[in-house]
Amino acid sequence: MPLSTATGPRRRSASRFVRTILVAAPVGLGLGLIPPIGSPAAQSAPSLEVNDFERQVVDIVNAERSARGLAPVQPDRRLWDAAEAHAEWMAANRRLSHTGAGGSTLATRAWAEGYRYTALGEVLARGQRSPEEVVRGRPCDRWCGTVCDGSARCDGWKQSPGHWNIIVSPSYRDLGVAYVAGPADMPHWWGILFGNSRDANQPLDLGGGLPATPTATKTATTPPTATRLPSRTPWPSATPTATVLPTTGPEVTRTAFPTASPRPPTITPVSATATPAPAQSDARLLGQVELQGRADVSGVLVLVNGSLASVTGVDGGFLLPKVASGIVVVEVVRPGWLSSRAILVLASGERRDLGATRLLAGDLDANRRIEYSDYRGLIASYGQCRGSTRFNPNADFDDDGCVAFSDFGLLFGNYGRSGPSAWGQY
């Protein structure tokens, strides 16, 4: 993969704003392998603005690695800079994504800071309220976005095998950690960038950290040119302030629409021969879908309880105006990508914004797992372009008209993953 022309966020000056420490949510991952080019000299840099939450994440990660007989990962100032720049961008743009400023990736961000890696991995999160929650999860309740583990915790990196495998991988020697408080209505952004290199570690003095107190909170400011998520279909009526609960991945927003005053339930007498009234179908769902590798998100099927309910347009947004109350399973599916699913309990008349979810490229045989059969399917169409009888449009993940190395890179980066993933997990 050529990286010589890759661009990414550069190291910030010492005047960048100080972030405080409060809470966050889960995650995504990436992996890159490339021969190192150049050898930046190791040096002890002045201490960056390390806060207590970031320092605690390092301690928790290394405690988990030690419990498995693994060597600790060491802070590296280059990875720290890359992780913090991306977390600041995510908070400012309100977007949990491995693709950052100017289309940067974890690889180009590390490279831009001078980190010539041989292995690289990234985990991201938004919504959890402490280092313990983001790494090990929080006590289980009915709002869990992941399964509960043996310690009755959920919604942490530890409950997501794909992300946990990055954290406890023996492949990594160095790390950079970022926590950004974020705006008041969408707080707590986290990221860890793991790496290994033939170059020496460039150590970072973590010091005592900055106090994790809510009084010091500074909100990330969106720059004038910030790119936001594609616009979504508006609700027909005005939307009251949403109540956001911590969840996995791009945070699912659960929105309550209260009336001016609660109404007592209406009791209707039913005779012995009366036909029971059907379940009310006036709940509404709003959501957003992203396809890894491409901007055009049209053609994604939106299934509700197994039945087709909608098909997305170019921006990936969808609105389901009539959904039966009760337990609802929403799944979004497109050939060539792993599906994503949300399991909900909807009240009659409820309107809920599911937020954004991302489908991962590579599931060419639609068996809900990215594996060797998908690799063979891509190779069968490799080098072919539109107009060729051997061209497989589902293998053209980046939609550039040809099945090329960039498409192979997307599949390889997701190799071994399975679905459907929890809504917003990646």
Side-chain angles (χ1 to χ4, degrees):
M1 181 187 301
L3 293 176
S4 59
T5 59
T7 59
R10 309 300 303 183
R11 187 164 184 241
R12 281 82 60 225
S13 68
S15 62
R16 71 177 187 270
F17 63 77
V18 178
R19 293 170 304 283
T20 34
I21 300 112
L22 288 176
V23 184
V27 345
L29 76 93
L31 174 63
L33 296 172
I34 190 169
I37 300 177
S39 300
Q43 62 185 41
S44 294
S47 177
L48 300 178
E49 292 172 354
V50 180
N51 61 52
D52 267 351
F53 272 15
E54 292 167 347
R55 189 160 57 93
Q56 289 171 37
V57 166
V58 175
D59 291 342
I60 295 172
V61 165
N62 280 332
E64 291 287 345
R65 291 176 65 89
S66 176
R68 291 159 177 78
L70 299 171
V73 280
Q74 303 297 329
D76 184 284
R77 69 171 186 84
R78 298 161 297 180
L79 294 183
W80 208 278
D81 266 340
E84 289 198 335
H86 185 53
E88 289 168 0
W89 179 89
M90 290 193 299
N93 290 275
R94 301 164 180 257
R95 180 167 184 163
L96 185 71
S97 174
H98 291 286
T99 302
S104 70
T105 66
L106 69 158
T108 61
R109 290 190 290 271
W111 204 263
E113 299 294 344
Y115 191 83
R116 307 311 190 221
Y117 61 87
T118 57
L120 202 62
E122 182 180 66
V123 292
L124 305 175
R126 171 168 68 83
Q128 273 102 332
R129 296 163 294 182
S130 70
E132 182 75 16
E133 280 194 12
V134 75
V135 179
R136 292 173 173 152
R138 61 184 179 82
C140 294
D141 57 27
R142 66 191 184 100
W143 297 110
C144 285
T146 67
V147 297
C148 286
D149 63 13
S151 60
R153 290 180 172 271
C154 68
D155 287 352
W157 284 321
K158 195 171 186 177
Q159 287 78 49
S160 176
H163 310 112
W164 194 242
N165 289 341
I166 292 288
I167 293 173
V168 295
S169 170
S171 300
Y172 302 119
R173 179 196 69 188
D174 308 320
L175 88 165
V177 179
Y179 168 79
V180 177
D185 62 338
M186 198 173 288
H188 315 308
W189 299 80
W190 306 79
I192 310 180
L193 189 55
F194 294 91
N196 204 345
S197 171
R198 293 189 180 96
D199 302 326
N201 170 278
Q202 294 192 7
L204 171 67
D205 178 12
L206 298 185
L210 299 175
T213 57
T215 56
T217 300
K218 183 157 184 175
T219 299
T221 304
T222 304
T225 58
T227 301
R228 295 184 178 276
L229 284 170
S231 59
R232 300 177 182 173
T233 307
W235 293 117
S237 58
T239 304
T241 302
T243 300
V244 181
L245 298 172
T247 102
T248 306
E251 190 173 74
V252 177
T253 304
R254 296 177 172 87
T255 307
F257 289 70
T259 56
S261 59
R263 297 179 180 178
T266 302
I267 301 176
T268 304
V270 180
S271 65
T273 58
T275 302
Q280 295 190 23
S281 305
D282 56 354
R284 299 186 180 189
L285 287 176
L286 177 72
Q288 185 85 26
V289 183
E290 299 174 5
L291 289 178
Q292 184 186 24
R294 64 170 63 188
D296 184 346
V297 194
S298 57
V300 177
L301 306 182
V302 183
L303 309 178
V304 176
N305 294 337
S307 299
L308 181 63
S310 183
V311 180
T312 61
V314 173
D315 71 350
F318 64 87
L319 170 64
L320 308 180
K322 294 288 185 179
V323 180
S325 57
I327 298 176
V328 176
V329 179
V330 181
E331 187 167 0
V332 285
V333 179
R334 194 183 194 284
W337 282 261
L338 286 178
S339 63
S340 181
R341 181 171 63 187
I343 302 176
L344 318 167
V345 179
L346 294 179
S348 177
E350 182 178 358
R351 294 165 172 80
R352 188 177 299 186
D353 183 353
L354 291 175
T357 194
R358 191 183 196 207
L359 307 190
L360 298 183
D363 186 20
L364 291 175
D365 59 5
N367 69 348
R368 298 190 171 189
R369 182 173 178 82
I370 300 174
E371 53 192 353
Y372 185 66
S373 58
D374 301 300
Y375 168 78
R376 292 186 61 184
L378 187 145
I379 291 300
S381 190
Y382 192 82
Q384 304 300 308
C385 298
R386 291 192 185 104
S388 168
T389 56
R390 292 174 54 199
F391 174 69
N392 180 358
N394 292 333
D396 183 17
F397 303 124
D398 58 8
D399 200 27
D400 65 354
C402 295
V403 180
F405 186 77
S406 56
D407 303 301
F408 174 82
L410 287 168
L411 187 152
F412 180 76
N414 297 324
Y415 197 86
R417 292 189 178 178
S418 59
S421 62
W423 192 275
Q425 181 174 350
Y426 297 109

